[in-house]
Amino acid sequence: MAKDKIAYVCENCGQESAKWIGKCPSCGQWNTFKEIRVNNDTGSQAARSAASSLRTSLEGKPRPTLLKDISSKESPRMDMNDGELNRVLGGGLVPGSIVLLGGEPGIGKSTLTLQTILNMPERKILYVSGEESQHQLKMRADRIGKGNSENVMILCETSLENIFAQIKDIHPELVIIDSIQTIYTEEVESSPGSLSQVRECAAALLRFAKSSGIPVVMIGHITKEGTLAGPKILEHIVDTVIQFEGDQHYMYRILRSIKNRFGSTSELGIYEMQQSGLRAVSNPSELLLNQDHEGLSGVAITSAIEGVRPFLLETQALVSTAAYGTPQRSATGFDHRRLNMLLAVLEKRVGFKLMQKDVFVNIAGGLRVTDMAMDLSVIASVLSSNVDTAIEKGWCMAGEVGLSGEVRPVSRIEQRLAEAEKLGFSDIIIPKHNFSSITPKRFNIKIHPVKKVEEALRALFG
């Protein structure tokens, strides 16, 4: 009997090595190499041969094709009957693509997936569950209100070979794998969820999706560091990686595209968790601004854009005297390093001393925003809390702040203005450079163009 072959794989980037290495030469991370065993005995070879023949019969043998003979016409995307999910995917699910949906335990990944496929009665769908029983899935479907669906078939199975056999008999139009960490193949002699099992199962599902044209959606777990569990090569294999995030104690959930070969990675979908499932939020601005903060200091409204969608956000700040020797700097939903930069700009260019004060910044609603136009609202909310003076009702702003204290132009200013006008705001502060590229008469909102931070603060506080 041949001895087991031992190899080491970096769980961060997928680099392989014949021996254990402390620092990965590819990604530079420490202590990321994990041991995997490749069994070479006769029984394992027989299992691999049987599994290989099964996949070959299912997928067929590919042949090379001349480039000029390949059609460049895009196949029609599969409509998921969910505007938020379609937007994040880039317009729908591409035939033959493989999508990885990640998120923390209990955030609603399975609920979102099951709810979506139950709203697609025109498609024949196979839902493979390795974590829940058929009874549990039936109870969840009843809670959503679609327990009598006739197009969704449930398979509680963890063997990849058995899953392929059922796919061959059923011929579904869409396959859901919940979750990839519970699936195992007989080709690899290790437990489900190990690096080698996750990698081999994902590669087999990729070959199946590309050869058959049937899209596959895989649900993946998240580690305590917030990254997708399994080797980094798992994210390289799939076509699209979307992450479902949010706080379990809040009702909002964010669907964010991390990688997308068929669309933009800056798209954002917002859902509201309800007793009957997840509700897509088509106009997040109204929900994120549903409270009246008139007379309260430390609150500023900004017109932000994520992907192609504009919406208004509430920036909250609290400035207080440091109780200990070292002042605290905390940001939730905003880049911590950028907050430190903006505070330095306030000290150096505007003259406000915040060196001995604690500063806390929060983006309301649990959102995490990367739009640079948030800078002006962060500075305004910090200064409002510092002087304990509220910003007048009906004011919002958008602008990037540079190190010299200038207000830099932002993209798609007309969409930001239209969103603010639609929600009834009366005044908006924008960069002066953007003012020259718009027609103010088109908007029923008073526009205040500014060139420096001091001008914006003067317009807000007089």
Side-chain angles (χ1 to χ4, degrees):
M1 181 181 294
K3 293 184 178 180
D4 291 352
K5 179 182 177 182
I6 298 178
Y8 296 88
V9 178
C10 175
E11 62 180 356
N12 185 57
C13 67
Q15 175 76 24
E16 295 187 8
S17 173
K19 61 180 182 179
W20 186 86
I21 305 175
K23 182 179 180 181
C24 177
S26 177
C27 64
Q29 297 295 315
W30 287 87
N31 298 324
T32 56
F33 274 89
K34 304 297 181 183
E35 177 183 311
I36 62 172
R37 291 179 177 270
V38 181
N39 195 300
N40 292 322
D41 61 15
T42 307
S44 175
Q45 290 178 1
R48 285 196 295 270
S49 177
S52 178
S53 61
L54 173 62
R55 276 205 308 269
T56 301
S57 63
L58 180 66
E59 302 170 0
K61 296 181 179 180
R63 294 179 177 273
T65 306
L66 288 173
L67 181 62
K68 67 182 183 67
D69 296 335
I70 301 175
S71 174
S72 60
K73 184 178 180 181
E74 290 188 7
S75 302
R77 294 183 181 240
M78 183 181 293
D79 186 9
M80 307 301 288
N81 292 336
D82 185 333
E84 299 294 298
L85 182 57
N86 282 336
R87 179 188 294 110
V88 175
L89 289 173
L93 193 60
V94 176
S97 64
I98 183 165
V99 178
L100 177 61
L101 171 62
E104 295 180 355
I107 203 68
K109 303 183 298 296
S110 300
T111 300
L112 173 65
T113 308
L114 185 62
Q115 174 181 302
T116 301
I117 62 177
L118 290 175
N119 290 327
M120 301 170 62
E122 71 282 358
R123 302 286 182 179
K124 189 177 183 181
I125 301 171
L126 175 64
Y127 188 100
V128 181
S129 176
E131 298 180 346
E132 297 178 287
S133 65
Q134 293 181 349
H135 179 66
Q136 289 174 305
L137 291 170
K138 173 64 175 177
M139 291 175 59
R140 179 176 293 169
D142 289 340
R143 188 174 71 248
I144 295 173
K146 297 290 182 76
N148 296 323
S149 176
E150 299 181 355
N151 67 309
V152 177
M153 289 167 286
I154 304 296
L155 174 64
C156 296
E157 180 61 76
T158 56
S159 171
L160 185 64
E161 286 71 28
N162 293 340
I163 292 172
F164 278 141
Q166 294 298 325
I167 290 174
K168 184 179 179 181
D169 293 337
I170 297 173
H171 299 291
E173 298 178 68
L174 173 63
V175 177
I176 309 294
I177 305 294
D178 184 11
S179 66
I180 186 61
Q181 278 81 14
T182 62
I183 306 300
Y184 73 93
T185 174
E186 296 176 4
E187 296 186 34
V188 179
E189 293 295 329
S190 60
S191 59
S194 63
L195 297 181
S196 52
Q197 284 284 3
V198 170
R199 181 178 59 175
E200 292 300 323
C201 291
L205 289 168
L206 174 69
R207 291 192 295 268
F208 159 73
K210 297 303 179 185
S211 59
S212 65
I214 299 174
V216 176
V217 177
M218 301 188 305
I219 297 177
H221 293 165
I222 292 292
T223 64
K224 61 182 180 180
E225 289 83 13
T227 59
L228 285 162
K232 195 70 175 179
I233 195 173
L234 179 63
E235 298 180 41
H236 299 322
I237 288 175
V238 301
D239 297 311
T240 305
V241 180
I242 52 179
Q243 191 155 333
F244 204 42
E245 57 191 41
D247 194 324
Q248 297 182 18
H249 304 290
Y250 291 91
M251 58 182 176
Y252 296 119
R253 300 289 186 268
I254 310 299
L255 190 65
R256 192 184 302 271
S257 175
I258 300 175
K259 169 190 175 182
N260 194 350
R261 289 174 177 160
F262 310 109
S264 172
T265 56
S266 58
E267 292 300 339
L268 197 70
I270 301 179
Y271 292 86
E272 182 183 6
M273 178 64 78
Q274 297 180 339
Q275 184 66 27
S276 59
L278 292 160
R279 183 183 72 85
V281 178
S282 57
N283 189 5
S285 296
E286 294 182 354
L287 287 177
L288 297 174
L289 300 177
N290 58 356
Q291 296 186 15
D292 186 10
H293 293 282
E294 186 175 2
L296 299 179
S297 64
V299 178
I301 308 300
T302 185
S303 183
I305 285 184
E306 286 287 324
V308 297
R309 159 189 265 180
F311 51 88
L312 298 187
L313 285 175
E314 180 182 303
T315 306
Q316 302 173 344
L318 176 63
V319 179
S320 61
T321 303
Y324 305 98
T326 305
Q328 300 182 60
R329 302 286 190 263
S330 177
T332 304
F334 189 75
D335 188 6
H336 183 269
R337 292 171 298 181
R338 193 157 189 87
L339 172 62
N340 290 331
M341 185 203 80
L342 296 176
L343 294 179
V345 171
L346 270 178
E347 291 229 13
K348 179 73 174 179
R349 305 300 180 187
V350 188
F352 286 90
K353 302 302 181 184
L354 302 171
M355 190 179 302
Q356 299 300 323
K357 294 189 176 182
D358 295 334
V359 179
F360 305 93
V361 172
N362 175 51
I363 306 301
L367 295 180
R368 178 170 54 88
V369 184
T370 57
D371 190 3
M372 295 298 182
M374 294 284 299
D375 290 355
L376 206 54
S377 67
V378 170
I379 282 183
S381 61
V382 168
L383 185 57
S384 170
S385 177
N386 185 46
V387 299
D388 199 18
T389 301
I391 297 174
E392 290 186 24
K393 185 178 180 180
W395 282 71
C396 64
M397 60 207 73
E400 179 186 352
V401 176
L403 288 176
S404 60
E406 81 279 13
V407 180
R408 300 175 59 83
V410 294
S411 62
R412 295 158 60 185
I413 189 65
E414 293 190 357
Q415 286 182 266
R416 302 175 192 267
L417 291 170
E419 184 73 11
E421 180 185 331
K422 184 176 71 173
L423 291 177
F425 281 81
S426 58
D427 297 81
I428 185 170
I429 299 175
I430 66 171
K432 194 170 186 178
H433 185 275
N434 286 123
F435 185 73
S436 60
S437 61
I438 62 174
T439 306
K441 295 181 180 180
R442 289 180 50 198
F443 303 97
N444 294 322
I445 183 172
K446 189 175 181 181
I447 302 174
H448 302 266
V450 296
K451 192 175 182 180
K452 293 185 178 181
V453 173
E454 298 95 314
E455 298 177 28
L457 300 179
R458 198 176 301 116
L460 286 171
F461 304 103

